């Protein structure tokens, strides 16, 4: 299975993070497979593991929780096109190239007064062979805006 997390950024662009084979731990710790250097994200926040044609997501006793399609979860099955929120970051899950187009969660709903998700201004992968890390600008401003989530 080929899986990606697609991060939606404030400027409307996206960053894609390919998931390695096996278990992927997301969190603030340097030994996570996908490092999110925000203080509101737990050291080991959640993990994704392949399960045939889907992924299993499990919260790792994070302080602020892990959300799947807007609902806080402890563990759940994740399908292509589902949305995962960790702190102020929203990702869409892509499995084997599906869905082909990544649409932010508010754009997939009928036009209403939906709130814009709080996402970083930039996201990049580190050099090949190292742990992918989200590079975040103005991370203190995200902490102040958590009440709006």
């Amino acid at each position: 299975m080929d899986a990606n997390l697609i991060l939606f950024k404030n400027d409307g662009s996206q960053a894609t993070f390919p998931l390695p084979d096996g278990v992927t731990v997301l969190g603030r710790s340097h030994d996570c497979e996908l490092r999110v250097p925000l203080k509101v994200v737990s050291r080991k926040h959640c993990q994704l593991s392949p399960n045939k044609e889907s992924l299993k997501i499990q919260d790792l006793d994070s302080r602020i929780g892990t959300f799947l399609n807007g609902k806080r979860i402890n563990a759940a099955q994740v399908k292509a096109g589902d949305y995962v929120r960790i702190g102020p970051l929203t990702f869409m899950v892509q499995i084997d190239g599906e869905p082909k187009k990544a649409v932010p969660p508010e754009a997939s709903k009928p036009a209403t007064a939906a709130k814009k998700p709080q996402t970083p201004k930039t996201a990049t992968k580190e050099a090949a062979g190292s742990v992918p890390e989200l590079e975040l600008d103005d991370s203190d401003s995200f902490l102040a805006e958590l009440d709006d989530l």
Side-chain angles (χ1 to χ4, degrees):
M1 171 188 333
D2 181 35
N4 298 309
L5 289 180
I6 300 173
L7 175 68
F8 300 103
K9 300 191 287 183
N10 279 340
D11 64 4
S13 65
Q14 303 166 359
T16 301
F17 297 91
L19 297 178
D21 294 333
V23 175
T24 302
V25 176
L26 289 81
R28 200 176 71 233
S29 178
H30 287 281
D31 62 346
C32 291
E33 283 76 26
L34 183 60
R35 186 165 179 267
V36 182
L38 286 177
K39 291 179 183 179
V40 297
V41 173
S42 295
R43 285 180 183 88
K44 294 198 185 243
H45 196 95
C46 67
Q47 70 180 26
L48 289 163
S49 44
N51 186 7
K52 296 185 182 178
E53 295 156 13
S54 65
L55 295 169
K56 179 181 179 185
I57 189 166
Q58 182 173 351
D59 185 77
L60 299 175
D61 296 323
S62 65
R63 291 173 302 188
I64 62 171
T66 300
F67 295 80
L68 179 64
N69 298 323
K71 295 181 182 172
R72 188 172 182 160
I73 56 96
N74 287 320
Q77 289 299 118
V78 180
K79 301 180 306 294
D82 282 348
Y83 297 98
V84 173
R85 184 166 53 91
I86 299 166
L89 308 178
T90 300
F91 299 90
M92 188 192 78
V93 177
Q94 185 181 52
I95 299 174
D96 294 330
E98 295 296 328
K100 293 188 185 335
K101 183 174 181 186
V103 179
E106 70 277 357
S108 66
K109 297 178 185 175
T112 61
K115 287 166 98 171
K116 185 176 180 181
Q118 303 300 319
T119 55
K121 293 180 182 172
T122 63
T124 59
K125 281 180 59 175
E126 289 184 340
S130 63
V131 174
E133 179 172 336
L134 303 179
E135 298 294 338
L136 306 173
D137 291 340
D138 302 324
S139 60
D140 289 338
S141 67
F142 292 120
L143 295 174
E145 294 172 1
L146 279 179
D147 293 334
D148 295 336
L149 294 177

